[in-house]
Amino acid sequence: MRLDKYLKVSRLIKRRTVANEACDAGRVCVNGKQAKASVNVKEGDIIEIQFGNKAVKAEVLKIQETTKKEDAKDMFRYL
């Protein structure tokens, strides 16, 4: 699954366009490397997102095309 879509579906970032902009600005890393929005994400990958002066690190646990809001938190684990 594309990185920007995963960020939206898992609700790490609320909108896909915002996820796209974060990737373009170089604020998203996958497994320690800066990632574009089109990078394929798979289970076990580590995603780091810079939100201003705060950084979020999460491990991908599940890949799903769609999910309910309540189940979105099961798709990743904060590190």
Side-chain angles (χ1 to χ4, degrees):
M1 176 185 283
R2 284 176 55 105
L3 176 59
D4 58 344
K5 184 168 183 185
Y6 179 81
L7 291 172
K8 182 215 177 256
V9 171
S10 66
R11 291 177 173 72
L12 281 167
I13 295 180
K14 296 284 186 242
R15 292 188 181 84
R16 192 165 176 180
T17 53
V18 175
N20 240 317
E21 290 166 4
C23 292
D24 291 344
R27 294 194 311 257
V28 181
C29 295
V30 175
N31 297 327
K33 297 181 191 150
Q34 269 191 346
K36 293 185 177 181
S38 60
V39 167
N40 266 338
V41 177
K42 53 195 171 312
E43 293 176 14
D45 284 351
I46 306 294
I47 299 174
E48 293 178 61
I49 309 167
Q50 284 294 130
F51 292 109
N53 59 358
K54 188 176 102 175
V56 173
K57 200 171 187 181
E59 179 184 359
V60 177
L61 298 178
K62 260 199 281 191
I63 303 283
Q64 294 177 311
E65 290 297 315
T66 59
T67 184
K68 292 181 181 164
K69 188 176 182 180
E70 305 83 43
D71 300 333
K73 64 183 177 295
D74 298 332
M75 292 179 67
F76 63 91
R77 172 172 60 101
Y78 287 115
L79 300 174

